[in-house]
Amino acid sequence: MEIITETDYRDRMEKEVVPFLKKHRHSGFFCPDNGQDKIYYESYRREDAKGVIAMVHGFSESAEKYVEMIYYFFQAGYQVYIMDQRGHGRSARGQEDLSLVHIDRFEQYLSDLDYLATEVADREDKGLPRYLYAHSMGGGIGAAFMEWHPSVFEGAVLSSPMIRPLTGGIPLGIARRIAEIQVMLGKGATYVPGHHAYRG
């Protein structure tokens, strides 16, 4: 498998990778919670696949960031599935502010990954071994998911997994308590003090 170099990166991505993947991309939505929220996903399928890779992106990212990785995995002989996480990209979000990522419970991310890996991928690729590639917040989701369902994936790559949040020097226990109080006061879907909407 050839890795795209920096010297002709833009040209090859625009003229080779993106058109190639477009031919193999299937996209749609699934509703893991009985039709309440729609989660956007993409699948890249090939007839001679040796396995399935589910990809989980990081905080404030989407499937768009992973075009190059999808291409490499596909070229290596894998079916690829990736979703826009709840509150990200084209998936359901709980508020109008596109800069604010909010969900009610972290476990919703685990349920969405479970649905992608065991319902969507299994429906289309039953019997193929499944692997996980997850980055940053996705790596935290992947680690929690594998603890929750250890037999779903044969193996995983967790790239810079977000296992513990940065709390700006505040001890984790105190930061957790502050967050709990904010939620009790009905401010769970607001920015952490000092943070704000993206300013282009």
Side-chain angles (χ1 to χ4, degrees):
M1 177 176 63
E2 182 187 1
I3 302 295
I4 299 168
T5 65
E6 291 182 25
T7 53
D8 57 350
Y9 183 83
R10 171 175 254 160
D11 196 48
R12 287 195 61 192
M13 288 297 288
E14 290 176 357
K15 294 179 180 172
E16 179 184 329
V17 175
V18 171
F20 175 82
L21 287 179
K22 191 174 181 181
K23 287 185 209 170
H24 296 278
R25 181 178 61 227
H26 303 277
S27 62
F29 292 87
F30 62 85
C31 302
D33 46 11
N34 299 321
Q36 295 285 326
D37 292 326
K38 291 183 176 180
I39 306 300
Y40 174 81
Y41 80 98
E42 296 175 355
S43 64
Y44 299 83
R45 300 174 59 224
R46 50 185 301 150
E47 290 180 13
D48 58 345
K50 57 186 175 184
V52 174
I53 295 178
M55 298 179 71
V56 186
H57 66 72
F59 180 70
S60 70
E61 297 178 344
S62 73
E64 292 294 320
K65 183 178 177 183
Y66 292 85
V67 171
E68 184 180 359
M69 285 303 300
I70 292 167
Y71 179 70
Y72 294 146
F73 289 146
F74 192 86
Q75 293 295 314
Y78 293 92
Q79 314 276 47
V80 180
Y81 289 82
I82 187 168
M83 65 183 158
D84 283 353
Q85 302 265 33
R86 188 180 295 260
H88 295 74
R90 291 152 283 197
S91 289
R93 55 181 65 244
Q95 69 290 317
E96 307 254 337
D97 184 349
L98 297 179
S99 296
L100 183 64
V101 175
H102 170 74
I103 59 170
D104 293 327
R105 294 174 295 101
F106 190 81
E107 289 77 17
Q108 289 176 293
Y109 288 133
L110 307 182
S111 296
D112 294 345
L113 176 55
D114 186 41
Y115 197 92
L116 179 73
T118 64
E119 296 290 330
V120 177
D122 254 12
R123 182 172 58 239
E124 298 174 357
D125 302 303
K126 198 154 190 72
L128 290 175
R130 289 178 293 214
Y131 303 95
L132 177 66
Y133 175 86
H135 175 66
S136 190
M137 184 185 84
I141 292 165
F145 181 85
M146 290 185 298
E147 186 175 24
W148 187 37
H149 288 304
S151 62
V152 171
F153 296 110
E154 302 275 329
V157 172
L158 305 180
S159 165
S160 300
M162 183 198 79
I163 302 299
R164 180 181 174 182
L166 293 175
T167 57
I170 299 171
L172 184 59
I174 294 172
R176 181 177 286 128
R177 188 66 185 136
I178 291 169
E180 289 168 355
I181 291 168
Q182 290 291 94
V183 169
M184 286 185 338
L185 295 174
K187 297 181 179 183
T190 58
Y191 288 100
V192 172
H195 290 248
H196 50 76
Y198 175 72
R199 296 178 186 141

